[in-house]
Amino acid sequence: MLEDEGVLPYVYRVTKYDPADRDEHGHYTGTEDTVSDHGRVEGAYFQAVEAFAADTGIERLTVREPHLPAPLVNFGLEAPMDGFGLASVFPTGPDGFHDGAEVSVGTAMELVRVMLRDGGAWCRLEVQDTFAVHVGWDQYMYVGSSRPCVTAVARTRALGLFLERIDASPYDFEAEDEGPQRPADDEFWAQLRWLTSGTNARVLEEQSAYNIGRWHRLTTDNIDTIRAGLAPRARRAIWPDLSSDIDAVLATLPTEGHVECVWQGKDGRMHSATADEDAFPEITARLSSASAAMILSMYADDRVPLLAAVMPDSDGVVRARWDGRVTYGRQFSSTPS
C-alpha cells in the first residue's frame, strides 16, 4: 500500500533575483550570479528556511527521494563534493541519507547548503501535508506550507531575497502511474529464500538513493544477516548469480552503450561500476582479478530483475516514492533540472 500526499496551499518561489530584472519572456537579465556566493546570500536562504519552518511550527523534516550524482564511471564513492557533501551532515555520511530520514531544521539547512552549491546530494525536504523545501538549479528555492507564513515572508524580504507566490513547486513529486510497488515483506523474503535454496545463489541490489547502490551475494546461510542490515525504504532487486567465467562475462559487453558491471573480488567484497564504451578497457582490467562477475544494461527496458520490491515502514505501508518503476534501471537524468 502506498500512501498519497496532498498539495500545499501556500507555495513561494524564493530567489536572489529581482523580478524587475526580467524581460517580457520572464528571463532574468540582471547581474546576479547563478552560483552560490558561499557567504551572505547563501546564509539568507538558510535563514529563510528557518523562518518558514518556525512560522509553520515544525522542528523536524523528512528526506524524500534522495539523489546522489551519477558519474559515468563510478569505481567508488567519488564525487565533485567530498562524500557528496554529506560527510559533515550525517554521522554516517551517505549511509544516513535515505528516504524517510528525519532531520532537524538545522540539519535541513545544511542539506540546503549542499544543494545550493550544486555539487553533491539532492533531495526533497518535507513534512507530509504541512511543509516542503525544494532547491532547483540556479539558486531557485521553493518553500511550501500549510500556513500563509506572513512573518516568514516579511523576514525573507528583509534578508534581501525575493518571493513570488505560485500555485505549486515545479519539483513536486510526480509518480508514474505503473501500479503499486511491491513491499519487501515476509512473503517477498520467503520467495527469495526459495530462489536461493540449495546451490542457487542470487545477487541482491540495494538502492537507498537514486544513482547509488550496494550489492550483496546471497546464500541461504547469509540471507537473514543481509536482510537485517539493509537501509530503510530501499529498493531491492534480485538478479541471477555472478559467473566465475570472466571471459564469458566480458564477451557480453556491447559494442556501445551504458552498462553496469558487478563483480566480487578475491577477498569476497562486492563492487560495481557504470561505464560506456570508452571505459570498457578499464572495466576489462578491473575484472581480470575478479572471482565472479556479471554485466547489466543501464537501460530500464533491458534491466528486468527476477524479483523487485521496496522496503515498507514498520506499519506495512510503502512510503518510499520510487516513481513507480519496476525495472530498477538507474537514469543519468534523474537529478532534477
Side-chain angles (χ1 to χ4, degrees):
M1 181 171 61
L2 180 66
E3 188 172 273
D4 294 327
E5 300 187 21
V7 177
L8 295 170
Y10 301 96
V11 181
Y12 302 90
R13 182 169 73 169
V14 180
T15 73
K16 59 184 179 181
Y17 308 117
D18 190 336
D21 295 327
R22 294 185 182 277
D23 62 21
E24 65 274 18
H25 304 293
H27 300 146
Y28 179 69
T29 59
T31 59
E32 287 285 353
D33 203 338
T34 57
V35 297
S36 175
D37 69 344
H38 293 211
R40 183 192 64 79
V41 177
E42 184 182 81
Y45 279 90
F46 306 155
Q47 293 176 67
V49 173
E50 187 175 37
F52 273 97
D55 233 3
T56 308
I58 60 110
E59 297 181 350
R60 300 187 68 79
L61 295 89
T62 302
V63 170
R64 303 309 313 267
E65 295 80 55
H67 289 64
L68 296 177
L72 191 57
V73 179
N74 181 14
F75 290 113
L77 291 179
E78 298 180 3
M81 293 181 72
D82 184 33
F84 305 108
L86 300 172
S88 61
V89 179
F90 295 97
T92 56
D95 287 344
F97 186 61
H98 60 78
D99 191 85
E102 287 195 1
V103 298
S104 66
V105 172
T107 299
M109 287 192 290
E110 289 303 309
L111 287 170
V112 169
R113 182 197 306 275
V114 172
M115 291 186 277
L116 286 172
R117 295 185 179 184
D118 193 27
W122 186 92
C123 68
R124 295 176 177 89
L125 292 164
E126 300 182 355
V127 177
Q128 184 177 345
D129 300 326
T130 304
F131 190 71
V133 179
H134 304 154
V135 178
W137 291 113
D138 299 337
Q139 310 292 288
Y140 283 89
M141 184 170 73
Y142 302 86
V143 181
S145 177
S146 59
R147 303 178 183 179
C149 299
V150 175
T151 301
V153 168
R155 171 62 175 156
T156 301
R157 287 180 174 141
L159 289 166
L161 299 176
F162 299 91
L163 295 94
E164 299 170 76
R165 178 82 181 274
I166 58 177
D167 292 334
S169 166
Y171 289 82
D172 282 342
F173 181 80
E174 295 182 7
E176 296 186 10
D177 187 14
E178 297 186 14
Q181 300 173 113
R182 177 180 180 177
D185 52 14
D186 289 341
E187 180 181 350
F188 169 84
W189 290 101
Q191 187 175 0
L192 178 55
R193 186 175 295 280
W194 177 80
L195 282 174
T196 57
S197 62
T199 59
N200 296 323
R202 294 289 184 259
V203 175
L204 183 149
E205 178 187 9
E206 172 195 4
Q207 193 175 1
S208 57
Y210 284 89
N211 301 320
I212 198 71
R214 295 190 299 175
W215 293 85
H216 310 271
R217 201 173 186 185
L218 300 173
T219 67
T220 53
D221 294 332
N222 69 9
I223 189 170
D224 289 333
T225 300
I226 290 174
R227 178 183 180 182
L230 296 175
R233 297 190 179 182
R235 298 197 291 189
R236 286 89 164 97
I238 307 302
W239 302 94
D241 195 20
L242 305 180
S243 171
S244 59
D245 188 342
I246 302 301
D247 289 337
V249 171
L250 289 173
T252 67
L253 279 172
T255 56
E256 61 181 13
H258 300 112
V259 300
E260 181 165 18
C261 182
V262 182
W263 73 95
Q264 188 171 39
K266 301 294 186 184
D267 59 359
R269 295 180 61 186
M270 296 289 288
H271 308 268
S272 71
T274 60
D276 66 1
E277 60 274 9
D278 293 335
F280 287 173
E282 188 170 359
I283 288 285
T284 300
R286 291 279 178 145
L287 292 189
S288 64
S289 60
S291 61
M294 68 175 175
I295 292 174
L296 298 172
S297 172
M298 289 290 288
Y299 301 104
D301 289 344
D302 300 323
R303 191 181 174 102
V304 182
L306 301 174
L307 292 175
V310 178
M311 181 60 73
D313 289 347
S314 58
D315 58 3
V317 176
V318 174
R319 292 186 175 87
R321 302 181 300 205
W322 288 99
D323 75 12
R325 288 188 180 273
V326 295
T327 52
Y328 285 63
R330 298 192 190 122
Q331 301 177 63
F332 293 105
S333 61
S334 61
T335 301
S337 59

